[in-house]
Amino acid sequence: MDEGDRPTDGDESADRDERNRSESATAHDGGGGVSDELEDEASDGAGGDAPDTEPEPGSRPEAGSRPEAEQSGEPDCADAHDGASHGADSHDEAPRDGEDIATKAGLGSTRSSDSDPDESFLYRFRHDREGALMWIREMLSSVAVVLLVGLLLFGVSGVWPPMVAVESGSMEPNMQVGDLVFVTEPGRLAPDAAENGVGVVTHEVGQEVDYRTFGSYGSVMIYTPPGRTGSPIIHRARFHVTEGENWYDRADDRYHNAVDCESLANCPAPHDGYITLGDNNGAYDQASGLSPPVRAEWVNGVARVRVPYLGYIRLVATGQVELNEAIARTVGSSLSPASSGFSAAG
């Protein structure tokens, strides 16, 4: 090689100065080190061979030029930070909306339960299908229904209680032990044949006008004579007498064993009243000494309708009948009189 073709010392020094400036600018802008290619070029330059060609594609950018992503790095980071914050806010808002929806739907969320325990208890009391709350709700509902029915019956009958239980067999076969009988107050729902303020049609009048109740003529009334400590008596009114009346001739001799008025109890009549008889009894109540002639003010009510077996509920609850005896009676088993335990109502 000729000396004319070799680079001069001045040119070599100029090339090194230019490369040094490029390396300094790259280190300042890129924040990194010097690339391997520049180091090779520096080595070649020190050896005397300086390339005079363009940088190959794929090499690092020239000093002073920064990628667009790096030039706009700070705004992009800020936008990314804002987006992350917005995403976090959206993530926080979703559960809150879910809780509100669950609370509105009545699903009993934890927040609703903590803030309003009374509402949660009421919801469980109304909707539980098992457990203690369900049993309490059903029991209270049953009691409420019974009371409601009782109030309705009271409104119709005008007496309380509006129903009585048959305790003895004195009215058989027309009333059975354990029947529940609906009664009305004296004078209420009285038939046209009742020509008195009590609403009672006697057996004697019932035969004349063909008025029947509970399998026979006349009305069945509930009455309590003075001094009686037991249950009221449920018997049929046979006929009405006035004070001082000799009613021996009007009486059916099948229901007394007297030979005249003097031998018949309560004859002549001590006061106005009804002569009564249980359909299954062999003597008038007045002939047997069970009661004097029944005054109108002693009448508690008039029997209207009977419901079989429901009266056992009251009889068992009050201890007048044992549960096994009530069950035996209900299914038709026969019991001996000694073990029946039924109290008489007449």
Side-chain angles (χ1 to χ4, degrees):
M1 179 182 295
D2 296 336
E3 291 182 359
D5 296 331
R6 298 176 59 185
T8 62
D9 292 338
D11 294 336
E12 181 178 359
S13 177
D15 291 339
R16 283 198 300 271
D17 292 339
E18 183 178 357
R19 284 195 294 271
N20 289 337
R21 285 192 301 270
S22 299
E23 290 172 1
S24 299
T26 302
H28 176 73
D29 295 336
V34 180
S35 66
D36 294 339
E37 182 179 355
L38 292 178
E39 288 179 357
D40 293 340
E41 290 177 1
S43 299
D44 294 339
D49 293 332
D52 210 14
T53 60
E54 292 288 335
E56 295 181 359
S59 63
R60 290 184 62 86
E62 295 181 0
S65 64
R66 296 176 61 189
E68 293 179 0
E70 292 180 1
Q71 292 177 0
S72 60
E74 292 179 1
D76 291 343
C77 292
D79 293 341
H81 178 71
D82 293 340
S85 300
H86 179 71
D89 294 340
S90 300
H91 184 269
D92 291 340
E93 291 176 0
R96 288 198 296 269
D97 294 340
E99 289 179 358
D100 294 340
I101 294 173
T103 303
K104 292 177 181 179
L107 299 180
S109 64
T110 303
R111 179 180 299 178
S112 177
S113 177
D114 293 341
S115 62
D116 196 355
D118 292 338
E119 182 178 357
S120 177
F121 174 80
L122 292 176
Y123 180 85
R124 290 174 52 207
F125 180 78
R126 294 176 58 192
H127 296 88
D128 276 4
R129 293 295 180 266
E130 59 183 11
L133 289 179
M134 184 272 290
W135 288 106
I136 294 173
R137 182 185 69 240
E138 296 301 321
M139 181 181 67
L140 292 178
S141 300
S142 300
V143 171
V145 169
V146 171
L147 291 177
L148 179 60
V149 172
L151 290 175
L152 291 175
L153 292 177
F154 171 71
V156 174
S157 68
V159 295
W160 187 264
M163 294 175 288
V164 296
V166 178
E167 301 174 8
S168 74
S170 64
M171 285 295 293
E172 292 179 353
N174 299 315
M175 287 185 180
Q176 304 287 339
V177 174
D179 287 352
L180 192 66
V181 179
F182 174 69
V183 301
T184 58
E185 68 176 337
R188 179 169 294 203
L189 303 179
D192 295 337
E195 298 177 354
N196 50 61
V198 184
V200 171
V201 178
T202 64
H203 182 274
E204 186 177 74
V205 175
Q207 285 181 313
E208 297 175 1
V209 298
D210 193 24
Y211 178 80
R212 290 174 174 265
T213 61
F214 299 100
S216 186
Y217 294 108
S219 300
V220 175
M221 62 185 187
I222 298 90
Y223 71 94
T224 305
R228 182 173 177 84
T229 57
S231 302
I233 299 170
I234 306 175
H235 283 174
R236 194 178 301 272
R238 299 292 294 192
F239 54 91
H240 187 269
V241 297
T242 59
E243 182 179 359
E245 179 183 347
N246 180 351
W247 54 275
Y248 176 82
D249 295 334
R250 297 176 62 189
D252 190 332
D253 56 10
R254 292 178 299 174
Y255 304 119
H256 68 84
N257 55 7
V259 295
D260 53 24
C261 182
E262 287 74 13
S263 60
L264 180 61
N266 292 294
C267 185
H271 52 257
D272 295 355
Y274 294 97
I275 304 299
T276 55
L277 174 70
D279 290 352
N280 196 38
N281 287 352
Y284 294 113
D285 297 344
Q286 290 68 35
S288 65
L290 183 63
S291 170
V294 179
R295 292 181 181 271
E297 54 267 26
W298 299 350
V299 179
N300 305 123
V302 180
R304 300 297 181 185
V305 180
R306 74 180 183 96
V307 182
Y309 307 121
L310 286 185
Y312 278 121
I313 298 175
R314 180 182 180 276
L315 297 178
V316 171
T318 57
Q320 296 171 284
V321 176
E322 296 297 329
L323 179 60
N324 59 340
E325 295 170 352
I327 294 173
R329 279 276 189 160
T330 302
V331 298
S333 299
S334 60
L335 298 175
S336 62
S339 62
S340 63
F342 294 111
S343 61

mmCIF file of all heavy atoms in Angstrom, residues 146-155 157-164 183 185 300:
data_model
loop_
_atom_site.group_PDB
_atom_site.id
_atom_site.type_symbol
_atom_site.label_atom_id
_atom_site.label_comp_id
_atom_site.label_asym_id
_atom_site.label_seq_id
_atom_site.Cartn_x
_atom_site.Cartn_y
_atom_site.Cartn_z
ATOM 1 N N VAL A 146 -107.477 -20.313 65.442
ATOM 2 C CA VAL A 146 -108.502 -20.737 66.399
ATOM 3 C C VAL A 146 -109.186 -19.529 67.042
ATOM 4 O O VAL A 146 -110.417 -19.475 67.175
ATOM 5 C CB VAL A 146 -107.887 -21.657 67.471
ATOM 6 C CG1 VAL A 146 -108.881 -21.927 68.587
ATOM 7 C CG2 VAL A 146 -107.434 -22.974 66.852
ATOM 8 N N LEU A 147 -108.373 -18.549 67.436
ATOM 9 C CA LEU A 147 -108.948 -17.346 68.038
ATOM 10 C C LEU A 147 -109.831 -16.591 67.052
ATOM 11 O O LEU A 147 -110.897 -16.069 67.417
ATOM 12 C CB LEU A 147 -107.838 -16.435 68.555
ATOM 13 C CG LEU A 147 -107.060 -16.937 69.770
ATOM 14 C CD1 LEU A 147 -105.941 -15.966 70.120
ATOM 15 C CD2 LEU A 147 -107.983 -17.120 70.968
ATOM 16 N N LEU A 148 -109.385 -16.538 65.786
ATOM 17 C CA LEU A 148 -110.181 -15.843 64.775
ATOM 18 C C LEU A 148 -111.523 -16.544 64.576
ATOM 19 O O LEU A 148 -112.577 -15.887 64.515
ATOM 20 C CB LEU A 148 -109.405 -15.782 63.460
ATOM 21 C CG LEU A 148 -110.121 -15.106 62.283
ATOM 22 C CD1 LEU A 148 -110.446 -13.660 62.633
ATOM 23 C CD2 LEU A 148 -109.273 -15.180 61.031
ATOM 24 N N VAL A 149 -111.483 -17.880 64.489
ATOM 25 C CA VAL A 149 -112.731 -18.624 64.337
ATOM 26 C C VAL A 149 -113.617 -18.414 65.564
ATOM 27 O O VAL A 149 -114.835 -18.247 65.458
ATOM 28 C CB VAL A 149 -112.440 -20.119 64.116
ATOM 29 C CG1 VAL A 149 -113.724 -20.937 64.152
ATOM 30 C CG2 VAL A 149 -111.729 -20.326 62.778
ATOM 31 N N GLY A 150 -112.998 -18.435 66.750
ATOM 32 C CA GLY A 150 -113.769 -18.205 67.974
ATOM 33 C C GLY A 150 -114.431 -16.842 67.989
ATOM 34 O O GLY A 150 -115.591 -16.709 68.402
ATOM 35 N N LEU A 151 -113.687 -15.824 67.529
ATOM 36 C CA LEU A 151 -114.271 -14.477 67.497
ATOM 37 C C LEU A 151 -115.423 -14.388 66.500
ATOM 38 O O LEU A 151 -116.434 -13.729 66.756
ATOM 39 C CB LEU A 151 -113.182 -13.459 67.147
ATOM 40 C CG LEU A 151 -112.117 -13.216 68.231
ATOM 41 C CD1 LEU A 151 -111.037 -12.287 67.700
ATOM 42 C CD2 LEU A 151 -112.749 -12.644 69.489
ATOM 43 N N LEU A 152 -115.258 -15.057 65.355
ATOM 44 C CA LEU A 152 -116.349 -15.061 64.380
ATOM 45 C C LEU A 152 -117.588 -15.761 64.945
ATOM 46 O O LEU A 152 -118.722 -15.279 64.792
ATOM 47 C CB LEU A 152 -115.882 -15.744 63.090
ATOM 48 C CG LEU A 152 -114.830 -14.991 62.259
ATOM 49 C CD1 LEU A 152 -114.381 -15.837 61.079
ATOM 50 C CD2 LEU A 152 -115.386 -13.658 61.771
ATOM 51 N N LEU A 153 -117.354 -16.891 65.612
ATOM 52 C CA LEU A 153 -118.482 -17.604 66.209
ATOM 53 C C LEU A 153 -119.124 -16.785 67.325
ATOM 54 O O LEU A 153 -120.349 -16.806 67.495
ATOM 55 C CB LEU A 153 -118.015 -18.953 66.746
ATOM 56 C CG LEU A 153 -117.578 -19.979 65.691
ATOM 57 C CD1 LEU A 153 -117.073 -21.241 66.363
ATOM 58 C CD2 LEU A 153 -118.727 -20.302 64.738
ATOM 59 N N PHE A 154 -118.302 -16.075 68.079
ATOM 60 C CA PHE A 154 -118.845 -15.215 69.124
ATOM 61 C C PHE A 154 -119.722 -14.115 68.528
ATOM 62 O O PHE A 154 -120.779 -13.762 69.059
ATOM 63 C CB PHE A 154 -117.716 -14.605 69.942
ATOM 64 C CG PHE A 154 -118.160 -13.544 70.902
ATOM 65 C CD1 PHE A 154 -118.884 -13.869 72.029
ATOM 66 C CD2 PHE A 154 -117.861 -12.208 70.669
ATOM 67 C CE1 PHE A 154 -119.308 -12.890 72.915
ATOM 68 C CE2 PHE A 154 -118.273 -11.223 71.542
ATOM 69 C CZ PHE A 154 -119.002 -11.568 72.677
ATOM 70 N N GLY A 155 -119.254 -13.584 67.381
ATOM 71 C CA GLY A 155 -120.057 -12.556 66.728
ATOM 72 C C GLY A 155 -121.408 -13.085 66.273
ATOM 73 O O GLY A 155 -122.404 -12.352 66.268
ATOM 74 N N SER A 157 -122.937 -16.022 67.616
ATOM 75 C CA SER A 157 -123.713 -16.610 68.716
ATOM 76 C C SER A 157 -124.079 -15.596 69.791
ATOM 77 O O SER A 157 -125.149 -15.675 70.397
ATOM 78 C CB SER A 157 -122.923 -17.752 69.363
ATOM 79 O OG SER A 157 -121.775 -17.260 70.040
ATOM 80 N N GLY A 158 -123.185 -14.663 70.064
ATOM 81 C CA GLY A 158 -123.440 -13.686 71.103
ATOM 82 C C GLY A 158 -123.113 -14.161 72.507
ATOM 83 O O GLY A 158 -123.350 -13.436 73.476
ATOM 84 N N VAL A 159 -122.560 -15.363 72.659
ATOM 85 C CA VAL A 159 -122.179 -15.882 73.977
ATOM 86 C C VAL A 159 -120.731 -16.350 73.916
ATOM 87 O O VAL A 159 -120.206 -16.687 72.853
ATOM 88 C CB VAL A 159 -123.094 -17.044 74.421
ATOM 89 C CG1 VAL A 159 -124.508 -16.559 74.614
ATOM 90 C CG2 VAL A 159 -123.060 -18.197 73.418
ATOM 91 N N TRP A 160 -120.088 -16.374 75.091
ATOM 92 C CA TRP A 160 -118.709 -16.882 75.183
ATOM 93 C C TRP A 160 -118.597 -17.839 76.363
ATOM 94 O O TRP A 160 -119.009 -17.493 77.461
ATOM 95 C CB TRP A 160 -117.723 -15.731 75.359
ATOM 96 C CG TRP A 160 -116.303 -16.238 75.269
ATOM 97 C CD1 TRP A 160 -115.479 -16.578 76.295
ATOM 98 C CD2 TRP A 160 -115.570 -16.457 74.067
ATOM 99 N NE1 TRP A 160 -114.275 -17.011 75.830
ATOM 100 C CE2 TRP A 160 -114.301 -16.945 74.451
ATOM 101 C CE3 TRP A 160 -115.859 -16.313 72.710
ATOM 102 C CZ2 TRP A 160 -113.321 -17.277 73.521
ATOM 103 C CZ3 TRP A 160 -114.888 -16.641 71.790
ATOM 104 C CH2 TRP A 160 -113.632 -17.117 72.200
ATOM 105 N N PRO A 161 -118.078 -19.024 76.127
ATOM 106 C CA PRO A 161 -117.649 -19.543 74.824
ATOM 107 C C PRO A 161 -118.829 -19.901 73.941
ATOM 108 O O PRO A 161 -119.883 -20.267 74.448
ATOM 109 C CB PRO A 161 -116.841 -20.787 75.197
ATOM 110 C CG PRO A 161 -117.421 -21.231 76.493
ATOM 111 C CD PRO A 161 -117.833 -20.006 77.220
ATOM 112 N N PRO A 162 -118.670 -19.799 72.644
ATOM 113 C CA PRO A 162 -119.792 -20.086 71.740
ATOM 114 C C PRO A 162 -120.024 -21.575 71.527
ATOM 115 O O PRO A 162 -120.972 -21.949 70.829
ATOM 116 C CB PRO A 162 -119.368 -19.410 70.429
ATOM 117 C CG PRO A 162 -117.870 -19.465 70.469
ATOM 118 C CD PRO A 162 -117.481 -19.310 71.908
ATOM 119 N N MET A 163 -119.187 -22.427 72.105
ATOM 120 C CA MET A 163 -119.322 -23.867 71.944
ATOM 121 C C MET A 163 -119.132 -24.554 73.291
ATOM 122 O O MET A 163 -118.325 -24.101 74.111
ATOM 123 C CB MET A 163 -118.300 -24.397 70.939
ATOM 124 C CG MET A 163 -118.526 -23.900 69.518
ATOM 125 S SD MET A 163 -117.220 -24.411 68.390
ATOM 126 C CE MET A 163 -115.884 -23.352 68.948
ATOM 127 N N VAL A 164 -119.860 -25.634 73.495
ATOM 128 C CA VAL A 164 -119.737 -26.434 74.713
ATOM 129 C C VAL A 164 -119.527 -27.888 74.321
ATOM 130 O O VAL A 164 -119.962 -28.324 73.242
ATOM 131 C CB VAL A 164 -120.983 -26.300 75.613
ATOM 132 C CG1 VAL A 164 -121.128 -24.874 76.114
ATOM 133 C CG2 VAL A 164 -122.244 -26.736 74.870
ATOM 134 N N VAL A 183 -123.682 -22.993 70.248
ATOM 135 C CA VAL A 183 -124.881 -22.449 70.900
ATOM 136 C C VAL A 183 -125.008 -20.969 70.569
ATOM 137 O O VAL A 183 -124.030 -20.295 70.224
ATOM 138 C CB VAL A 183 -124.811 -22.637 72.437
ATOM 139 C CG1 VAL A 183 -124.674 -24.109 72.792
ATOM 140 C CG2 VAL A 183 -123.661 -21.841 73.037
ATOM 141 N N GLU A 185 -126.973 -17.232 72.020
ATOM 142 C CA GLU A 185 -127.529 -16.637 73.224
ATOM 143 C C GLU A 185 -129.057 -16.698 73.196
ATOM 144 O O GLU A 185 -129.662 -16.789 72.106
ATOM 145 C CB GLU A 185 -127.057 -15.190 73.367
ATOM 146 C CG GLU A 185 -127.622 -14.234 72.323
ATOM 147 C CD GLU A 185 -127.202 -12.811 72.590
ATOM 148 O OE1 GLU A 185 -126.886 -12.520 73.762
ATOM 149 O OE2 GLU A 185 -127.201 -12.001 71.641
ATOM 150 N N ASN A 300 -128.446 -20.390 79.534
ATOM 151 C CA ASN A 300 -127.201 -19.828 78.979
ATOM 152 C C ASN A 300 -127.234 -19.712 77.459
ATOM 153 O O ASN A 300 -126.573 -18.830 76.885
ATOM 154 C CB ASN A 300 -126.010 -20.688 79.368
ATOM 155 C CG ASN A 300 -125.890 -20.896 80.862
ATOM 156 O OD1 ASN A 300 -125.863 -22.035 81.347
ATOM 157 N ND2 ASN A 300 -125.818 -19.799 81.615
#
